[in-house]
């Protein structure tokens, strides 16, 4: 039953990721532009260069803010990662006799 729940959650997370894939790519590109603009702004010596890189940085920032639905895509990626890690974890046995035998062995040792 645990695997069925993980599978259902994984399918939902994959659908959310695919639905937000465009905004995720847009956010990655705009954050890259913003990063380059900030680096060039700090390296620029002239006022004109700082103004141009500042304008490019503001454009990059505004497009990054416009792609905020990409946060849902990032959450979906994280959920898929957690499901992948938990998929093969050994769980507690649901067989009551197995648990009884473990407890009996513990009582024998005491």
């Amino acid at each position: 039953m645990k695997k069925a729940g993980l599978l259902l959650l994984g399918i939902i997370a994959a659908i959310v990721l695919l639905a937000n894939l465009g905004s995720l790519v847009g956010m990655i590109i705009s954050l890259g532009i913003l990063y380059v603009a900030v680096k060039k702004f700090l390296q620029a010596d002239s006022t004109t260069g700082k103004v141009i890189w500042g304008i490019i940085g503001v454009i990059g920032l505004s497009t990054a803010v416009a792609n905020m639905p990409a946060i849902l895509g990032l959450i979906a990626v994280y959920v898929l990662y957690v499901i992948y890690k938990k998929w093969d974890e050994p769980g507690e046995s649901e067989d009551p006799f197995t648990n009884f035998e473990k407890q009996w062995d513990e009582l024998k040792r005491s």
Side-chain angles (χ1 to χ4, degrees):
M1 186 68 178
K2 183 178 177 184
K3 296 264 186 180
L6 286 175
L7 182 66
L8 182 64
L9 190 62
I11 290 171
I12 292 170
I15 290 170
V16 170
L17 175 63
L18 289 175
N20 292 308
L21 197 59
S23 63
L24 192 62
V25 170
M27 181 173 255
I28 290 169
I29 291 171
S30 61
L31 288 176
I33 291 170
L34 180 62
Y35 175 75
V36 170
V38 168
K39 292 297 261 184
K40 294 291 184 174
F41 177 82
L42 294 175
Q43 292 175 354
D45 293 329
S46 67
T47 305
T48 308
K50 286 192 179 279
V51 168
I52 291 172
W53 286 114
I55 291 171
I56 293 172
V58 168
I59 292 170
L61 181 65
S62 65
T63 56
V65 169
N67 287 314
M68 283 312 254
I71 301 296
L72 292 174
L74 292 175
I75 293 170
V77 168
Y78 177 73
V79 168
L80 285 172
Y81 173 75
V82 169
I83 289 172
Y84 175 75
K85 287 294 184 184
K86 289 191 181 243
W87 188 260
D88 288 331
E89 271 186 7
E92 286 285 327
S93 175
E94 293 183 14
D95 184 20
F97 296 108
T98 306
N99 291 331
F100 174 76
E101 290 174 5
K102 287 180 188 175
Q103 290 176 352
W104 186 254
D105 288 337
E106 289 175 6
L107 285 173
K108 279 184 180 178
R109 292 184 193 134
S110 301

